[in-house]
C-alpha cells in the first residue's frame, strides 16, 4: 500500500486538483485515479474559508465513499458542518459562513444531495486512521501515543481539536500543549489543523497543514517514501495565521 496524505484543503479545490496531478493522479470522471494504485488520505477540514467547499465535498465523497479509492478522517470544521447539517444551532463563524453561503445558494434538490454526501462521508469516517502497512496513524489534530486504539470522547476531542489546555492566548486562540515533543512511538503520526509555513517534523510526527487557505501551500506526505510534495496556494497570503513554534 502506498498513500499520499493531504493536509487541510479548506475548500481550495483548484489547489487540490493541482496537487493530485502533481502526485501523478489522473482525472477520471468525477475522481482522480493513480496508475500505480496509490491512495489519497484526507486528514480533515476539507471545507470552510476557501472558495470551493462544495466541489471539494463532492470529490472527496466520490473517492472515499462511492469508489473507495481514498480515505478520510474528520477535522473540527467537518464536525461543525455535520452539526449544521443535523440542524443544530452552530455559529456561522471561522469559515463555516463561506460553506453555508455556497450551500444556501443552491436549489433545494442539490442542497439535499450535498447534505447527504457530506453526512454519509462523516458518519462512515473513523475518528483517526491506523495504516499499519505504512506504519502510520493519521489524525486531524494529531494523537497521543496512549490514545491510539481508543475511540472514546477524550480521543474524539483530541483528534478534532488537539491537546487544548482550556486556557487562551490574549488574542483568543486556545493554548495547545505540544504533544508531538513527547511522542516516542515508531509509527508516523501525520496531522494538520495548525497552519505552519513548512511541514513540521518532530520525532516521528509531521504537521502537513501548510495553510493553503491562508495563501501558502497545499502539502502531501507520501508513504512509504517519506516524501513531501506541495503546490502553491492561489489565495492571498495572511502571514498572521501561521504558528511559530519555539523549537528547543
Ligand atoms: Mn482543524
Amino acid at each position: 500500500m502506498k498513500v499520499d496524505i493531504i493536509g487541510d484543503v479548506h475548500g481550495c479545490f483548484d489547489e487540490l486538483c493541482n496537487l493530485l496531478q502533481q502526485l501523478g493522479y489522473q482525472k477520471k470522471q468525477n475522481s482522480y485515479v493513480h496508475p500505480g494504485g496509490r491512495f489519497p488520505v484526507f486528514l480533515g477540514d476539507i471545507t470552510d474559508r476557501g472558495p470551493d467547499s462544495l466541489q471539494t465535498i463532492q470529490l472527496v465523497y466520490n473517492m472515499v465513499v462511492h469508489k473507495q479509492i481514498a480515505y478520510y478522517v474528520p477535522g473540527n470544521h467537518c464536525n461543525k458542518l455535520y452539526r449544521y447539517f443535523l440542524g443544530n444551532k452552530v455559529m456561522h463563524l471561522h469559515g463555516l459562513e463561506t460553506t453555508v453561503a455556497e450551500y444556501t445558494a443552491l436549489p433545494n434538490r442539490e442542497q439535499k444531495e450535498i447534505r447527504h454526501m457530506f453526512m454519509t462521508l462523516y458518519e462512515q469516517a473513523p475518528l483517526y486512521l491506523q495504516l499499519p502497512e505504512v506504519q502510520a496513524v493519521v489524525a486531524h489534530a494529531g494523537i497521543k501515543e496512549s490514545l491510539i486504539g481508543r475511540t472514546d470522547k477524550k480521543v474524539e476531542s483530541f483528534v478534532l481539536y488537539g491537546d487544548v489546555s482550556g486556557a487562551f492566548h490574549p488574542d483568543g486562540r486556545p493554548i495547545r500543549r505540544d504533544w508531538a515533543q513527547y511522542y516516542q512511538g515508531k509509527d508516523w503520526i501525520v496531522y494538520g489543523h495548525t497552519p505552519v509555513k513548512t511541514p513540521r517534523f518532530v520525532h516521528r510526527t509531521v504537521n502537513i497543514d501548510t495553510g493553503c487557505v491562508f495563501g501558502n501551500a497545499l502539502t502531501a506526505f507520501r508513504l512509504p517514501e517519506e516524501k513531501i510534495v506541495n503546490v502553491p496556494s492561489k489565495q492571498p497570503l495572511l502571514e498572521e495565521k501561521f504558528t511559530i513554534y519555539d523549537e528547543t
Side-chain angles (χ1 to χ4, degrees):
M1 177 194 232
K2 292 183 176 179
V3 298
D4 299 308
I5 305 159
I6 297 172
D8 304 39
V9 178
H10 280 303
C12 294
F13 184 73
D14 283 356
E15 291 90 337
L16 174 58
C17 296
N18 288 345
L19 180 61
L20 288 167
Q21 272 161 18
Q22 188 73 36
L23 292 165
Y25 291 77
Q26 292 162 359
K27 191 157 197 264
K28 266 197 189 144
Q29 288 147 350
N30 296 323
S31 66
Y32 282 83
V33 179
H34 198 282
R38 303 185 69 97
F39 286 86
V41 180
F42 298 97
L43 59 60
D45 286 3
I46 58 173
T47 64
D48 292 8
R49 293 198 173 108
D52 301 300
S53 290
L54 302 191
Q55 279 197 83
T56 308
I57 290 173
Q58 284 170 310
L59 178 65
V60 174
Y61 172 86
N62 281 329
M63 296 184 71
V64 175
V65 180
H66 185 58
K67 302 211 164 120
Q68 302 187 355
I69 50 170
Y71 295 101
Y72 159 84
V73 295
N76 52 310
H77 284 262
C78 307
N79 173 269
K80 197 170 171 192
L81 181 60
Y82 180 74
R83 288 185 282 122
Y84 168 79
F85 282 143
L86 275 179
N88 294 4
K89 279 215 171 78
V90 289
M91 302 277 269
H92 298 185
L93 291 172
H94 308 297
L96 180 64
E97 68 282 6
T98 64
T99 307
V100 169
E102 276 189 68
Y103 177 73
T104 51
L106 291 178
N108 211 275
R109 201 177 56 83
E110 286 172 47
Q111 283 190 3
K112 273 189 182 156
E113 207 169 34
I114 286 287
R115 179 173 175 270
H116 171 77
M117 281 184 180
F118 185 78
M119 291 185 79
T120 308
L121 175 71
Y122 188 90
E123 285 166 6
Q124 60 87 58
L127 286 176
Y128 57 93
L129 199 61
Q130 290 177 271
L131 299 168
E133 281 182 69
V134 290
Q135 294 178 290
V137 179
V138 181
H140 177 65
I143 189 164
K144 271 201 281 200
E145 209 175 349
S146 59
L147 298 178
I148 298 170
R150 287 170 44 179
T151 53
D152 48 89
K153 280 281 162 197
K154 162 110 172 105
V155 186
E156 179 177 351
S157 154
F158 197 102
V159 298
L160 292 178
Y161 300 98
D163 200 357
V164 288
S165 60
F168 294 87
H169 290 287
D171 66 1
R173 286 175 302 121
I175 294 175
R176 296 181 180 126
R177 295 192 196 94
D178 195 5
W179 60 273
Q181 296 284 359
Y182 305 100
Y183 181 68
Q184 294 183 319
K186 289 202 179 78
D187 285 356
W188 278 104
I189 308 285
V190 188
Y191 68 106
H193 184 59
T194 306
V196 285
K197 273 296 189 60
T198 52
R200 177 186 185 238
F201 287 88
V202 177
H203 304 302
R204 271 180 87 82
T205 76
V206 58
N207 175 0
I208 56 167
D209 178 9
T210 48
C212 188
V213 79
F214 298 128
N216 189 45
L218 186 63
T219 295
F221 186 55
R222 318 193 87 169
L223 286 173
E225 297 87 347
E226 304 186 351
K227 193 179 161 218
I228 291 283
V229 174
N230 61 39
V231 294
S233 169
K234 296 181 174 177
Q235 313 303 315
L237 183 66
L238 297 173
E239 198 69 61
E240 69 278 13
K241 297 293 183 183
F242 293 86
T243 300
I244 313 288
Y245 285 92
D246 307 316
E247 305 289 7
T248 48

